[in-house]
Amino acid sequence: MKTALVTGSSGLIGSEMVSFLDERGWRVHGVDNNMRRDFFGEHGDTTWNLERLRRETRRFEHHDLDVRDRAGIARLVAQTRPQLIVHAAAQPSHDLAAQRPFDDFEVNAVGTLNLLEAARAHAPETPFVFLSTNKVYGDAPNELELVELETRYDYADPARREGIDETCRVDESTHSLFGASKLAADVLTQEYGRYFGMPTVCLRGGCLTGPNHSGAELHGFLAYLARALRDGLPYRIYGYKGKQVRDNIHSYDVCTAIMAFADEPRPAAVYNLGGGRANSISMLEAIARLEELYGGKLETEYVEEPRRGDHVCYISDLRRFRGDYPGWELRYSLEDILAELVGERVEAPA
Ligand SMILES: NC(=O)c1ccc[n+]([C@@H]2O[C@H](COP(=O)([O-])OP(=O)(O)OC[C@H]3O[C@@H](n4cnc5c(N)ncnc54)[C@H](O)[C@@H]3O)[C@@H](O)[C@H]2O)c1
């Protein structure tokens, strides 16, 4: 039986990965200390998701372990010798990073180094998947010329239609402290691939979403929007007239991308991974569509000042990943994602 180690296993991506692997006969060791609750308060509490995993899986073992615990992480990797490592534990918010810079860096950058070093010592042949972020580019994507359409911004140059690719520069731009700590982890992950020849990959996520997101105002765009509509909470739009664009990918499709890499790993690989143009939506469009689906009206408040360094229009160019893994395809359309968020069950095709 194959064994995997998944960090952040009570979070959106980690928990989807646990279920995905468990269904396919893997033994999965999950690492999560519910730090999301500490970061975001009650809305961020992931206990419900851990309990769900315990109910629904067969070979999942949970470890209430902090990725900052270097010795504990090394011990766990030595004991379990996993054939796949998926590192999805993180402090994921810009705003929170500014309030708690040391926690942010220690979890995101040092936590990743702890895992990489444990993998080098005890499982150097094992595919190592790091969930990185498009924030490694800072706000450099905002330098592209844009056109303002009725409900969204878009790229002015038709040659840019597919969006931002991996050659976008990563320095001399505003990242937020979160983007900086993730970039440190991203470069470290690449270096363990290049310098030590380990099969590492950085998947630079767009908006990752799905039903198992403990949506909080500071993190989880669509999940929190859906929650605000359902619970009648006011929703704040930060700048750009609400025309900022995000591309959304379902957590299931992130798992299939991870498995595509795990089956055919390449050292020091870097890919942008999002929903691409087909799954892109602006804030205004998302609000309108979710209001339609819920049959309600969202109470919005417009804040003139955008979040610092926030992308105006970000669409992930998926061509590099698709080129290397032509068998991979998105199973969840944007409509599927939205329908699921409002409570309709959307089955992932087998
Ligand atoms: N959700 C997105 O839109 C998005 C976009 C781009 C990149 N990413 C990246 O993908 C990864 C997964 O994101 P997610 O949306 O599943 O986040 P999440 O917050 O839902 O899950 C992260 C999990 O990590 C756990 N965690 C935090 N600190 C920990 C620590 N010190 N030790 C152990 N566990 C800890 C949290 O409790 C949480 O359950 C993160 O690295 C994130 O930066 C996410």
Side-chain angles (χ1 to χ4, degrees):
M1 189 188 300
K2 287 189 164 180
T3 299
L5 181 67
V6 177
T7 72
S9 49
S10 307
L12 168 72
I13 298 303
S15 67
E16 184 86 47
M17 200 66 226
V18 170
S19 303
F20 188 95
L21 290 167
D22 183 78
E23 278 164 24
R24 285 155 184 81
W26 289 62
R27 170 177 295 283
V28 187
H29 293 273
V31 170
D32 202 302
N33 63 352
N34 197 18
M35 201 160 176
R36 191 171 169 94
R37 189 186 202 296
D38 178 57
F39 290 142
F40 301 121
E42 195 195 330
H43 283 171
D45 196 323
T46 56
T47 311
W48 64 276
N49 207 15
L50 171 59
E51 282 165 5
R52 181 186 65 79
L53 286 178
R54 285 193 160 130
R55 264 193 326 272
E56 294 175 4
T57 56
R58 286 160 294 182
R59 287 167 295 266
F60 164 61
E61 199 179 316
H62 177 68
H63 303 264
D64 185 358
L65 183 62
D66 193 318
V67 294
R68 293 171 297 179
D69 176 353
R70 187 168 305 158
I73 289 291
R75 225 176 3 255
L76 185 61
V77 176
Q79 279 162 5
T80 54
R81 305 251 167 193
Q83 281 95 19
L84 171 63
I85 297 175
V86 178
H87 177 33
Q91 186 305 102
S93 152
H94 301 264
D95 305 78
L96 206 93
Q99 295 160 29
R100 294 171 60 174
F102 290 106
D103 288 342
D104 175 76
F105 196 83
E106 282 161 11
V107 172
N108 288 351
V110 183
T112 302
L113 183 58
N114 289 342
L115 267 149
L116 285 164
E117 200 39 42
R120 179 162 82 103
H122 306 292
E125 313 289 326
T126 294
F128 186 106
V129 181
F130 171 58
L131 272 299
S132 185
T133 167
N134 59 20
K135 304 304 178 325
V136 299
Y137 302 122
D139 62 357
N142 290 352
E143 289 161 11
L144 287 182
E145 201 192 325
L146 299 175
V147 282
E148 184 178 343
L149 306 177
E150 202 185 325
T151 57
R152 64 158 75 190
Y153 286 104
D154 205 345
Y155 305 119
D157 180 357
R160 277 285 174 184
R161 223 189 112 69
E162 295 297 321
I164 309 296
D165 69 20
E166 295 80 359
T167 63
C168 182
R169 76 164 197 283
V170 294
D171 61 353
E172 295 181 2
S173 64
T174 301
H175 290 80
S176 81
L177 296 186
F178 159 76
S181 67
K182 291 293 282 190
L183 177 57
D186 183 302
V187 173
L188 279 166
T189 303
Q190 290 185 55
E191 210 52 40
Y192 273 71
R194 267 209 187 83
Y195 199 87
F196 299 120
M198 285 164 55
T200 66
V201 64
C202 299
L203 298 175
R204 295 178 172 165
C207 276
L208 318 181
T209 186
N212 301 321
H213 216 182
S214 307
E217 185 182 5
L218 295 186
H219 183 243
F221 154 53
L222 286 179
Y224 190 74
L225 196 52
R227 179 192 286 255
L229 252 168
R230 197 177 50 232
D231 299 350
L233 302 170
Y235 188 85
R236 271 186 287 265
I237 300 171
Y238 291 92
Y240 304 142
K241 305 181 193 169
K243 294 185 179 186
Q244 53 272 59
V245 171
R246 301 285 177 266
D247 68 331
N248 300 276
I249 181 169
H250 193 280
S251 43
Y252 177 88
D253 288 326
V254 175
C255 292
T256 57
I258 290 172
M259 291 317 283
F261 176 82
D263 288 344
E264 216 183 307
R266 296 166 160 81
V270 172
Y271 299 106
N272 288 348
L273 185 70
R277 175 164 287 275
N279 279 12
S280 69
I281 195 166
S282 74
M283 188 75 85
L284 289 183
E285 291 163 355
I287 291 171
R289 187 67 189 117
L290 282 169
E291 282 181 341
E292 239 166 52
L293 288 168
Y294 268 113
K297 187 95 189 109
L298 184 72
E299 193 193 317
T300 55
E301 183 195 330
Y302 185 70
V303 183
E304 203 60 53
E305 187 74 13
R307 288 194 158 116
R308 278 198 74 188
D310 208 17
H311 292 148
V312 187
C313 178
Y314 192 96
I315 296 176
S316 312
D317 185 337
L318 300 173
R319 284 177 293 183
R320 183 189 283 186
F321 192 82
R322 286 193 162 126
D324 284 352
Y325 300 100
W328 177 80
E329 55 186 313
L330 288 171
R331 298 283 175 87
Y332 280 81
S333 68
L334 185 63
E335 258 317 288
D336 292 337
I337 290 171
L338 295 173
E340 195 178 59
L341 277 175
V342 300
E344 285 172 33
R345 192 160 169 72
V346 180
E347 291 294 341

